[in-house]
Amino acid sequence: MPPALRSLLFPALVLALCYAGWRSYGWQGLLLALLMSSFWVLLHFTKLMRLLRAAASRPVGAVEDVRALQGRLRPGMPMHEVVRQAASLGKREPGTPGENTEDFVWHDPQGRTLHLRFDHGRLRRIERRHGQATKTTDDQTAGQP
């Protein structure tokens, strides 16, 4: 789903729910629709805050095993799922200004690093490095043997 459409989906659903509530039950239906929407937002906000609290207690960019993390990641995953899998926040690398991409790095005690590129909050490229060796997985090569 395109990022512009994804950002408009929730407000459109809330408006549709409010309209349906108003048409069906009057002001009580509208109030119920608004309360349901605000409850949904609060649930997701609480979930995100718990995730960030748990990730903030670990060193930035540190994981137990880069290979295990790489095995759990798939292109297209949202950033919050990657942080949940890594159980720590990644170290941000400087990127090209004007692009909607972000690069993050995780490392393990064995010296391996995992470089991830996100585009509009979705994982697009996975690259594992150990010294000079590089293993890459991205959108175009994910389905090929």
Side-chain angles (χ1 to χ4, degrees), residues 1-3 5-7 9 74-82 100-104 116-126 139:
M1 180 180 302
L5 183 61
R6 195 178 329 133
S7 65
L9 187 61
R74 299 284 175 258
M77 287 178 76
M79 188 179 292
H80 66 88
E81 281 297 318
V82 173
N100 287 328
T101 60
E102 298 174 309
D103 296 324
F104 290 92
L116 303 178
R117 173 165 286 177
F118 292 89
D119 184 25
H120 295 285
R122 298 280 176 166
L123 181 60
R124 293 296 174 223
R125 184 179 176 134
I126 304 168
D139 285 4

Side-chain angles (χ1 to χ4, degrees), residues 14-28:
V14 168
L15 286 175
L17 184 65
C18 288
Y19 179 75
W22 174 262
R23 294 292 294 167
S24 299
Y25 299 103
W27 68 269
Q28 294 98 343

Side-chain angles (χ1 to χ4, degrees), residues 15-119:
L15 286 175
L17 184 65
C18 288
Y19 179 75
W22 174 262
R23 294 292 294 167
S24 299
Y25 299 103
W27 68 269
Q28 294 98 343
L30 176 64
L31 182 63
L32 179 64
L34 289 173
L35 288 174
M36 287 173 33
S37 302
S38 61
F39 183 68
W40 186 86
V41 168
L42 285 174
L43 278 176
H44 284 278
F45 180 76
T46 303
K47 182 177 162 183
L48 184 62
M49 288 299 107
R50 276 188 285 138
L51 170 69
L52 291 177
R53 187 179 316 124
S57 66
R58 305 255 331 242
V60 173
V63 293
E64 294 295 321
D65 187 12
V66 162
R67 291 179 298 179
L69 176 60
Q70 183 183 12
R72 292 189 304 258
L73 300 179
R74 299 284 175 258
M77 287 178 76
M79 188 179 292
H80 66 88
E81 281 297 318
V82 173
V83 171
R84 183 183 321 282
Q85 294 291 332
S88 71
L89 300 172
K91 182 179 178 187
R92 187 168 186 182
E93 288 187 327
T96 308
E99 290 186 12
N100 287 328
T101 60
E102 298 174 309
D103 296 324
F104 290 92
V105 177
W106 280 268
H107 65 278
D108 64 8
Q110 292 80 25
R112 293 181 294 252
T113 59
L114 188 64
H115 296 259
L116 303 178
R117 173 165 286 177
F118 292 89
D119 184 25

Side-chain angles (χ1 to χ4, degrees), residues 74-75 137-145:
R74 299 284 175 258
T137 305
D138 57 15
D139 285 4
Q140 293 79 23
T141 61
Q144 299 174 355

